[in-house]
Amino acid sequence: MKSRYSMLQKKKRKWPYIISGSILGVLIVAIVGWIWWNDWDIDKSIAALGISLKTEESVPVEEKPVEEPVEEEPVVETPTVVEPEVDMSGAKGYVGNETLPEEPTYVEGILIASKKYPLPSTYAPGESKEARAAFEEMAAEAKLSSYELVAFSTYRSFEYQTTLYEKYVSNDGQEAADRYSARPGYSEHQTGLAFDIGEKHFEQHFARESFGETEAGKWVAANAHKYGFIMRYPNGKEKITGYMYEPWHFRYVGKELAPKVFEAGITLEEYFNL
């Protein structure tokens, strides 16, 4: 059994360690609290504790060379070329197209006859049976509305057109004649597909602009496309078609194409970009 003296000696030896440990703990708590209270930098705080931190040496970042600004070449704008408006009216439409071809011109299966696309002098098909049948169908429908339509001029041969044109030139002069009459070889009537339409008993409106103001003329203008006809020379389109307004002149192009041209409100030249 250990003596009380020995036990007291052991306690005396432990006592300095306990006191020093307690003081160290209190000191650490005080330092940490002081660091927190003052929001001190963590590195400074660690240094304050006498702790040395070994950091890696920073690697120098290679600076990129400053690129000199590249001078951009000035953009040269190409001037917009405005094509002059094509004017086919009067004699102007024949310029460059004075020679008659050996073969007629077809565009997407449609025969073209104009100042720009003439016909051979030998082209003589006669009146188109298909166009005549379409006209009779239209005339029968118009009769139900009390309009008795007649086709007072259809196919014209090259020779007949020559006589007719020369007569107009003699009466009105070539400048005026070229506005309303085709030179031989340039007439749509030579195709056998053009029909000059009027109303029976109202011959005073035949081949006149006044036909377009009659009830029969209005009916034809509004319904001809259903039977394959289009008004070939509409009002205000002289520079495009080459001829003045002719509300009596209708051209047969077929029941498939006529409604498209009519609904678009354009001419055959505009539709095919001729």
Side-chain angles (χ1 to χ4, degrees):
M1 183 176 181
K2 295 181 180 180
S3 65
R4 181 178 296 179
Y5 175 78
S6 60
M7 292 176 65
L8 288 173
Q9 291 297 321
K10 288 181 180 179
K11 288 182 178 180
K12 288 180 180 180
R13 289 195 296 268
K14 291 180 179 179
W15 180 250
Y17 296 105
I18 295 171
I19 293 173
S20 59
S22 299
I23 293 171
L24 181 61
V26 172
L27 182 61
I28 292 172
V29 171
I31 292 172
V32 171
W34 182 76
I35 292 170
W36 176 81
W37 180 262
N38 290 278
D39 194 22
W40 205 20
D41 185 87
I42 188 63
D43 291 336
K44 292 181 180 180
S45 303
I46 295 173
L49 293 174
I51 302 174
S52 176
L53 293 177
K54 185 179 180 181
T55 59
E56 294 183 359
E57 295 182 358
S58 60
V59 179
V61 178
E62 183 180 354
E63 295 183 358
K64 294 182 179 180
V66 179
E67 297 181 359
E68 295 183 0
V70 179
E71 294 185 2
E72 296 182 358
E73 296 182 1
V75 179
V76 180
E77 295 185 359
T78 304
T80 303
V81 179
V82 179
E83 295 184 1
E85 183 182 2
V86 177
D87 186 355
M88 299 295 291
S89 61
K92 293 187 288 291
Y94 294 110
V95 176
N97 309 298
E98 295 86 351
T99 305
L100 300 181
E102 295 183 359
E103 297 292 336
T105 301
Y106 287 86
V107 177
E108 296 183 22
I110 300 298
L111 176 60
I112 305 297
S114 66
K115 291 180 178 179
K116 188 176 180 180
Y117 299 99
L119 300 166
S121 60
T122 55
Y123 189 75
E127 182 185 87
S128 168
K129 293 181 180 179
E130 183 178 347
R132 169 55 70 172
F135 172 76
E136 295 299 338
E137 181 184 0
M138 178 171 62
E141 187 67 24
K143 199 167 186 178
L144 297 178
S145 299
S146 302
Y147 305 125
E148 194 168 354
L149 302 181
V150 293
F152 59 86
S153 180
T154 58
Y155 170 71
R156 299 176 194 162
S157 66
F158 179 87
E159 291 74 22
Y160 180 69
Q161 187 66 28
T162 300
T163 302
L164 194 61
Y165 175 75
E166 290 177 350
K167 174 185 175 182
Y168 292 144
V169 170
S170 177
N171 292 340
D172 301 322
Q174 187 173 38
E175 183 178 350
D178 281 336
R179 291 189 61 202
Y180 65 83
S181 179
R183 295 179 183 180
Y186 297 82
S187 174
E188 273 206 326
H189 284 282
Q190 191 180 336
T191 67
L193 297 166
F195 279 51
D196 286 345
I197 300 173
E199 184 180 11
K200 190 175 182 180
H201 305 307
F202 293 90
E203 288 78 6
Q204 69 273 23
H205 298 299
F206 281 14
R208 296 182 184 277
E209 289 187 11
S210 59
F211 177 67
E213 301 302 319
T214 66
E215 293 304 312
K218 293 176 182 178
W219 187 94
V220 176
N223 293 279
H225 65 280
K226 300 175 184 177
Y227 307 93
F229 289 92
I230 60 171
M231 186 185 294
R232 189 64 180 87
Y233 308 123
N235 196 14
K237 298 288 187 176
E238 184 174 350
K239 289 184 178 181
I240 297 173
T241 64
Y243 299 100
M244 56 194 300
Y245 175 45
E246 293 188 0
W248 66 89
H249 183 110
F250 286 81
R251 160 69 195 272
Y252 182 77
V253 294
K255 293 183 179 180
E256 181 178 350
L257 177 59
K260 296 178 182 178
V261 176
F262 174 81
E263 290 168 9
I266 56 179
T267 64
L268 204 58
E269 282 81 5
E270 291 170 303
Y271 185 86
F272 287 124
N273 194 25
L274 301 175

